Amino acid sequence: MHYQEGLDYCATYNGATGNPKRIKELVIRSLKSTKVIGLLSKEEHDYFHNETVRLLTSLNYMPKYICSPFITHPMSKSDEFWELLKTVNVVLVGRRAKEAEPVFQNRGVNIVETLKLEGIDQILSVQKQLESKKDQWDLAILAAGVPATILAERLANSTNHVVIDFGHALDVIIDGSKFDFDRLVEDFNENSI
């Protein structure tokens, strides 16, 4: 099965850089070690839901805790979420982490570190940086596509801190109603040439 089919146009934008077989192995390992997993329901996207069920069946694996992969979108709009963030030291990781920092700070959140994460090859470096500073942060918000999926599980297990693969909710926080995934991909692809 080729689970990346149809996603080639956004693969580099989503950090899926490198050997597809290796990426698949890393994502599956992460999937099997993550405490709460966001998976698409039939209502959210019938085709990808069915493909996810096929994948999980082929792996003979069923996660214990499942939520919507879009749960972070309403979280980002929740006053309770923002109030919780004010009580901890937060790290932002991803292409737009630095851009998001002032938005979080304006909401009263203490951002102790922002790191860029572009592609699979940078996962280990970012992981080591954050592990070496684990006493300085309590919660990490990652928005870096496939690398975030892999790093979130690793970092949570190695530091015993809360790590959230926040996905495009970070873009929504930055862009608001102007968020346009296809436009972000298009701009990224044009600027990467």
Side-chain angles (χ1 to χ4, degrees):
M1 292 186 230
H2 299 284
Y3 292 101
Q4 75 275 14
E5 277 181 25
L7 300 175
D8 292 341
Y9 84 101
C10 65
T12 304
Y13 175 84
N14 286 332
T17 56
N19 181 310
K21 185 176 180 182
R22 177 74 177 133
I23 294 170
K24 178 181 171 184
E25 291 168 1
L26 291 169
V27 170
I28 289 170
R29 184 180 311 146
S30 176
L31 174 74
K32 289 184 172 184
S33 299
T34 300
K35 305 252 185 308
V36 180
I37 297 174
L39 299 176
L40 289 165
S41 67
K42 272 189 164 309
E43 294 76 28
E44 289 167 322
H45 199 290
D46 188 54
Y47 172 77
F48 284 121
H49 169 77
N50 291 332
E51 289 301 299
T52 301
V53 169
R54 284 179 50 203
L55 172 64
L56 293 173
T57 302
S58 74
L59 297 173
N60 194 28
Y61 175 72
M62 184 51 65
K64 188 172 181 181
Y65 301 104
I66 299 173
C67 67
S68 167
F70 301 112
I71 190 69
T72 55
H73 290 242
M75 281 172 59
S76 72
K77 295 175 179 131
S78 162
D79 290 336
E80 291 143 336
F81 177 69
W82 288 100
E83 288 302 315
L84 172 72
L85 290 181
K86 290 179 187 178
T87 67
V88 295
N89 293 320
V90 177
V91 170
L92 296 175
V93 177
R95 179 177 298 125
R96 300 185 77 187
K98 199 69 175 157
E99 191 178 353
E101 183 177 20
V103 178
F104 280 77
Q105 290 171 330
N106 289 340
R107 302 274 316 240
V109 179
N110 184 34
I111 302 299
V112 296
E113 182 89 47
T114 60
L115 295 171
K116 216 169 190 158
L117 177 56
E118 289 284 351
I120 302 297
D121 293 342
Q122 293 182 0
I123 293 172
L124 191 56
S125 168
V126 171
Q127 179 181 347
K128 287 182 179 195
Q129 286 181 64
L130 291 175
E131 286 172 345
S132 72
K133 298 176 181 181
K134 72 178 183 175
D135 294 337
Q136 298 172 21
W137 60 275
D138 307 297
L139 184 142
I141 293 177
L142 283 56
V146 175
T149 300
I150 296 164
L151 180 60
E153 173 271 328
R154 287 183 180 183
L155 203 53
N157 288 323
S158 69
T159 64
N160 207 29
H161 291 336
V162 174
V163 181
I164 303 170
D165 181 350
F166 215 60
H168 295 293
L170 192 67
D171 295 319
V172 172
I173 287 171
I174 296 166
D175 297 337
S177 62
K178 295 178 181 170
F179 167 66
D180 182 342
F181 174 74
D182 292 326
R183 184 83 207 144
L184 288 171
V185 172
E186 198 174 297
D187 289 347
F188 177 83
N189 288 338
E190 285 176 11
N191 292 323
S192 295
I193 297 173

